[in-house]
Amino acid sequence: MLVQETSWYFMDRRGQRQGPVATEAVSTAYRSGDLLRDGLVWREGMPQWLPLRQLEAELGLGPVDHASAPPPLPEGPTSVAAAMRAREIDRSDIVYAGFARRFAALFVDGLVLIVPGFVLSFLLGIPFAILMHGYDERTRNIAQFVFGMVVGLLLRGAYFAVMESSKEQGTIGKRALGIKVTNASGAKLTFTEALGRWFAASLSHLTLYIGFFMAGFTDRKRALHDMVAGTLVVDRWAFSEFPERQQRSQTGVLVAVIVGGLFLGVAVLGILAAIAIPAYQDYMIRAQVSEGAAMAEGSKTAVANYYFSTGHYPADNASAGVGKPGTLSSPYVNSVTINNGVITVAYGGPKASPMLPATSTLVFAPTADDRNVHWSCNSAAGTTLDVKFRPLVCRP
């Protein structure tokens, strides 16, 4: 029975496709220098074109000295021809990306994801809030926390997997720092490989970030998830025809550290501002509330004196011997009113915070015994002021 000869196709050093040819023709082209070790070859049954170096054993090829091979013909304008230069890739000259460059790239990516993360959470949060309507507050809070975590994970997973499997082989942060991600042999990752690498990064998180710091001292500067996923993070010109363009000096690392430090500083300042500004605003509002409480002290004394003199509470400001409600005011307080002994401080003065409208009141209700008049000012007394702005004695 006749055995059918395998038909091969290959890209020669000029970027032209050749084939179908027999196995011996592939060997001849390689030995003559017309087919380089990184030239692409294919035969029936292979899922994709592969570099010749990965099929040397199958083709029975050995090392060849191409020093005497003729120079390549002028290349055409096609992208395949541009990729198939006469110069082989030097796989021994690789600059691996250290911790500093990777750290700075991660900060850039974090900032890049802020806006789409906010937009995605907002768009998905509306229908989610509708679905959660009717549940108790504790359940809604837990569900919202889990929802936010899931949205964030989906966004980051898609971002890193898509970008690192693209032709640029890196996220926006990595591209900004001049690095890329490859598999162990220097080739571009598939989407599945890039997604697996992102999932493997959870191990670096679970080790209290020690997995990330490993990039600073391990072989080929690999983090824990790189070891698990079989990937490398290298200079953008590594595994290319121009390894001399790789960033080798410490200047690049210093720049990366500075960039990372700047982003860290911006992030820290942003966090501090997010905490400090609301806290300062709350402090200012409490100060305005305190002024109203202080203004009520004079009315309390007048009500108590009136009660112990007459045995009942004064009907209004005039009965208590204090100024009219509108005259007891300040830049933050609109009025102080006495009604059958109950003192109502109404805020909403001309310089009061928008959080203290005229409907915000601090109410002091009296309770008398034989010796003293005691005052309560919580919600039961009629206070409508937001709880967090009330004096401590007026909170539930």
Side-chain angles (χ1 to χ4, degrees):
M1 183 176 65
L2 296 176
V3 178
Q4 185 176 359
E5 176 69 29
T6 301
S7 295
W8 291 84
Y9 296 82
F10 67 92
M11 303 298 293
D12 62 24
R13 67 192 303 167
R14 294 172 297 277
Q16 301 296 318
R17 192 179 81 167
Q18 304 294 336
V21 298
T23 303
E24 184 58 30
V26 177
S27 178
T28 299
Y30 171 62
R31 296 183 184 284
S32 68
D34 196 42
L35 172 59
L36 304 177
R37 291 186 70 239
D38 285 302
L40 300 176
V41 297
W42 180 85
R43 60 165 171 74
E44 185 176 358
M46 291 172 52
Q48 60 185 9
W49 291 69
L50 294 174
L52 177 67
R53 55 185 167 73
Q54 297 186 21
L55 299 167
E56 286 180 340
E58 180 179 345
L59 291 166
L61 303 178
V64 175
D65 182 9
H66 290 152
S68 60
L73 296 176
E75 298 179 351
T78 64
S79 58
V80 175
M84 298 294 298
R85 299 181 186 276
R87 178 180 180 180
E88 289 199 48
I89 295 174
D90 184 356
R91 297 183 178 276
S92 63
D93 184 12
I94 304 299
V95 174
Y96 299 99
F99 177 77
R101 293 173 77 179
R102 296 174 64 162
F103 181 71
L106 188 61
F107 266 104
V108 175
D109 289 326
L111 293 179
V112 168
L113 289 170
I114 289 177
V115 174
F118 175 80
V119 173
L120 186 62
S121 296
F122 177 77
L123 294 177
L124 296 179
I126 295 175
F128 180 79
I130 295 174
L131 290 174
M132 294 303 299
H133 180 71
Y135 288 88
D136 61 88
E137 183 178 359
R138 181 173 181 274
T139 301
R140 289 199 304 271
N141 290 338
I142 295 174
Q144 289 172 355
F145 174 77
V146 174
F147 172 76
M149 292 290 293
V150 171
V151 170
L153 289 173
L154 290 176
L155 176 64
R156 293 180 67 84
Y159 172 76
F160 280 91
V162 170
M163 298 296 288
E164 291 181 355
S165 62
S166 67
K167 65 179 181 179
E168 288 82 9
Q169 297 180 245
T171 59
I172 294 174
K174 287 184 174 66
R175 290 161 60 184
L177 272 296
I179 57 181
K180 65 182 179 181
V181 183
T182 74
N183 63 18
S185 61
K188 182 174 75 71
L189 301 183
T190 64
F191 177 81
T192 303
E193 291 172 332
L195 186 61
R197 180 179 186 271
W198 180 78
F199 273 110
S202 62
L203 297 175
S204 294
H205 286 283
L206 292 174
T207 56
L208 302 178
Y209 298 95
I210 294 176
F212 291 106
F213 287 106
M214 290 172 61
F217 55 83
T218 57
D219 175 45
R220 294 185 288 179
K221 300 183 179 179
R222 293 186 298 171
L224 178 60
H225 54 281
D226 289 314
M227 296 179 180
V228 174
T231 57
L232 301 170
V233 181
V234 298
D235 187 273
R236 61 175 297 191
W237 292 106
F239 298 110
S240 75
E241 298 169 331
F242 306 102
E244 68 277 4
R245 298 182 183 179
Q246 296 181 92
Q247 184 174 294
R248 305 171 188 275
S249 67
Q250 294 300 318
T251 303
V253 176
L254 178 61
V255 170
V257 172
I258 293 173
V259 171
L262 288 175
F263 282 120
L264 178 60
V266 170
V268 171
L269 288 176
I271 293 172
L272 292 177
I275 296 173
I277 293 176
Y280 176 75
Q281 292 174 337
D282 288 353
Y283 168 78
M284 294 300 296
I285 294 173
R286 291 192 184 98
Q288 296 177 20
V289 170
S290 297
E291 181 172 309
M295 291 177 64
E297 290 300 317
S299 296
K300 287 181 183 179
T301 301
V303 169
N305 291 336
Y306 186 93
Y307 177 81
F308 286 113
S309 297
T310 65
H312 59 273
Y313 297 114
D316 51 28
N317 290 46
S319 301
V322 298
K324 294 180 179 180
T327 61
L328 298 176
S329 62
S330 76
Y332 312 121
V333 177
N334 190 41
S335 65
V336 178
T337 304
I338 299 174
N339 184 12
N340 292 323
V342 176
I343 302 171
T344 302
V345 179
Y347 293 91
K351 294 186 178 180
S353 167
M355 298 295 291
L356 292 177
T359 54
S360 296
T361 60
L362 187 59
V363 179
F364 296 92
T367 302
D369 55 27
D370 293 339
R371 296 184 178 182
N372 294 299
V373 174
H374 305 280
W375 301 92
S376 60
C377 53
N378 52 27
S379 298
T383 293
T384 62
L385 192 67
D386 192 314
V387 174
K388 68 177 181 179
F389 299 137
R390 301 178 190 178
L392 292 178
V393 295
C394 301
R395 298 182 185 184

